Amino acid sequence: MTEDILSFDDYDERHSPAPPITDFDNVVASAMSRRDFTKGVVAFGIGALGVAGSARPQLALGAEDRFGFSAVAANTADTITLPDGFDWDVLVSWGDPLWSDSPDFDHVSRGTSASQSRAFGDNNDGMAVFSKAGRVVLAVNNEYTNRQIIWGNRPQGQATTDDDIAKGMMAHGISIFEIQPSSAGWTVVKDSDLNRRITPRSEMLISGPAAGSELLRTRADGDGRSSFGTWNNCGNGETPWGTYLTCEENFNGYFSSSDPNLGRPNAMIRYGINIEDWGYGWAKIDDRFDVAKEPNEPNRAGYVVEIDPFDPEAKPKKRSALGRFKHENADVVLAADGRVVVYMGDDERGEFLYRFVSEGRYTVGADNSNLLDNGTLFVAKFADDLTGRWIPLTPETTGMTSDEIAVYTRMAGSAVGATTMDRPEWVASNPHKAESYVALTNNKNRGLKPNAGGDPTPVGGPNPREVNVYGQIVRWRPRNADHGSDEFAWDLFALAGNPKVHSDLNAGSNNIDASNMFNSPDGIMFDTQGLLWIQTDGNYSNEGDFAGHGNNQMLVGDPLTGEIRRFLVGPNEAEITGISWTPDRRTMFVGIQHPGERGNSHFPEGGESVPRSAIISVRRTDGNVIG
Ligand code: FEO
Ligand code: CA
Ligand code: CA
Ligand code: CA
């Protein structure tokens, strides 16, 4: 495996290895709960989940099928596979111009920094549709680039000019553009006054407890209150007041040090800031990515950023009250009293699950614009008895100042003994009841190695498998059906696995069978019916532990029955990530990220074309609603 195709997590582990100790005592102590858990998994769906007398609904196996489609088979075709009665089309692909003054994507040069800054970014991830006064916009994260693809016109896929590096930079960030329906389906409105690219060079504000902190001050920003862009934008969220939340994930991989002997403080190590970057080369064209020159610049990334999708002039705001970590997505719900609750995962092996609760309350029609600046951040602590608590991260509980908690959030979580998780990806909340789900994608270190802060990763509770290669989906219900409550009950919705290869816990929970097996759940989102759409970013070798899983895919789960059915299979070497619907719910947008990341796809155009990340639109051939 070359470094080009290492995951960010693998890269961090190679360059900032966690302490080589294993907390053997914890592993042994959890063995009992693991056995208990095995029983729980076998008896999936039976038992009381409620904490306030709310009995868990009985499994309604054989009840009405709410899916409305027949399962598709796993496969390794370099295309999109959908059930009978559904069609797909490409809405937009990497490099498609958003303005008519910019050229169409060039398969030979793969663009320039100038063309890229006026075009749809690369590696689309989280996205959301917004509508207002009859106009519809789509806001999309462009998470990162694959060097072998974006620089595939250069020797060894390496940047040879500063403009190559800048082109890569401009392929990051957010693309916002108007869309409209036509007889041929939804299309991008070129030149709309709402179209906008937000890049790692766009000016934005920093708000919340870290704003103005010494930890954020740099030569370019002596006040620590403004920032110059966002990158590695992974999952997303949307607020009830109509703004888009974009989540900065693997922000660390862009920093390097011109001093190879630079001493790195613990906070840099915990966040994976290394002497070498991931290969993007940004420090070669911009000193702020050189931590020997700007040691505080990394402290200005790793946040949730709030954007008004209908005001291209409004500066995005980095909301430091929501903490700094490898933010996956931001799932927004309301507490019973109207306070805003945001659930968030930190996607790294052994990191934590968080909840923010605002101080103020959401009121329809009022000024809600700064609700995400004041409130309390909490971290999840799960007990093996299927209960859990949200532990507040405050100066009293952590011994840290409020700006330190906002900037070094991982260390605050460690200070209160948060539960180390199997890489929390997206959180999704059921629109019909107080119940939330988190995709824990996998964790090959579970039970073997501590996290980057030295916290043990014992087997047990919501992370029941040692060397977890398949992942699981955990759900919880807050006490009194109130997302503002500090207590919850939890269980597993699904333990992914391979029942064709294994007969132990690696077979998965009993709602996984040969027809719907998958690995590495990642993007999850509820539709209006209360069905859970599950997207995967996993091992697509289709061999060994993963035999029969095929390419990455999208499935639908029914929380009422536990049933899971495969809806879509993606092209080769792609991840399925990002999902949203048009206002009429007749078109669903689905993200296809990094097809051909190892050189074996020509999606979506086929032939000898350059593979391009793309958003596809999916419709029923009968035109009915799709979720
Ligand atoms: Fe960008 Fe954790 O996925
Ligand atoms: Ca993801
Ligand atoms: Ca992932
Ligand atoms: Ca990805």
Side-chain angles (χ1 to χ4, degrees), residues 282-293:
W282 291 7
K284 292 180 188 154
I285 61 168
D286 190 339
D287 275 352
R288 70 193 166 105
F289 294 98
D290 179 348
V291 292
K293 295 175 180 159

Side-chain angles (χ1 to χ4, degrees), residues 4 30 53 117 134 176 212 302 321 381 387 394 435 439 458 463 497 525 529 599 621:
D4 292 332
S30 68
S117 66
I176 300 176
K381 194 162 184 170
T387 66
T394 64
E435 175 183 83
N463 309 285
M525 180 81 78
Q529 290 188 76
T621 48

Side-chain angles (χ1 to χ4, degrees), residues 20 78 130 139 250 279 356 374 376 418 477 503 506 579 585 587 590 612:
D78 192 25
F130 295 88
N250 293 295
F356 168 83
N374 293 296
T376 305
R477 289 188 190 154
S503 54
N506 284 318
I579 180 168
R585 308 297 290 193
T587 298
V590 179
R612 297 159 75 191

